[in-house]
Amino acid sequence: MSRSSEASSQAMWDFLEAHGQKEFADVHLLATHLTDGALLHTAKKPVRSLADFRGLKLRSANRISTKLISMLGATPVAMPVPQVPEALSKGVVDGAVLPWDVVPALKTAGAGQVPHRNGPGSAGIDAHRPGAGDEPGQVRQPAR
């Protein structure tokens, strides 16, 4: 676990510069980034066991979270993050998997919600393969 996404992203960059040269020799690294770990926030019912997922409607963010929510026995409900607070308050969903860093912006902390610790966040590496198209910094012209 890390103290912040920013610190973890920098640590990942430093690690790749020191140890990833061979693996990334064919590309130009542009950025590394990590997100905070996600937590399950439920509006009313705490989830203490796998059986507690059964019958819950949980906000899903993408195909992977949709698959995971289904495997846990809950019903995935696709929706953008900005709709989560209203959906929770109106009972459209019973909960949502959200990283801590978006909770203050959504003003969902408190309000009868029960946060549950989930796994670590996700990692990303942005890279450009020289000669494979546009060079970094070039602006593409729109198709006409």
Side-chain angles (χ1 to χ4, degrees):
M1 296 313 254
S2 69
R3 295 182 185 268
S4 73
S5 295
E6 183 179 356
S8 295
S9 296
Q10 182 64 52
M12 183 175 168
W13 179 266
D14 294 343
F15 179 85
L16 289 176
E17 278 194 325
H19 306 287
Q21 297 303 316
K22 194 179 215 179
E23 187 170 349
F24 293 98
D26 295 344
V27 297
H28 175 74
L29 290 179
L30 301 174
T32 59
H33 49 92
L34 284 94
T35 62
D36 286 338
L39 290 95
L40 172 62
H41 296 265
T42 54
K44 298 174 184 160
K45 179 183 169 190
V47 176
R48 294 191 174 98
S49 71
L50 286 175
D52 292 337
F53 281 100
R54 210 167 298 123
L56 288 179
K57 295 176 288 181
L58 300 176
R59 179 257 178 186
S60 64
N62 52 43
R63 287 186 342 200
I64 293 172
S65 65
T66 296
K67 204 172 210 173
L68 176 64
I69 289 167
S70 295
M71 290 171 68
L72 292 170
T75 302
V77 179
M79 76 175 54
V81 171
Q83 293 178 5
V84 169
E86 184 177 0
L88 284 168
S89 69
K90 291 185 174 182
V92 174
V93 293
D94 301 306
V97 177
L98 300 168
W100 269 123
D101 54 352
V102 303
V103 171
L106 292 176
K107 297 182 172 87
T108 59
Q113 292 186 37
V114 184
H116 308 279
R117 185 75 188 133
N118 202 9
S122 61
I125 297 174
D126 298 321
H128 178 268
R129 183 178 306 281
D134 297 337
E135 292 301 315
Q138 279 187 330
V139 177
R140 282 190 168 185
Q141 296 299 317
R144 294 178 198 238

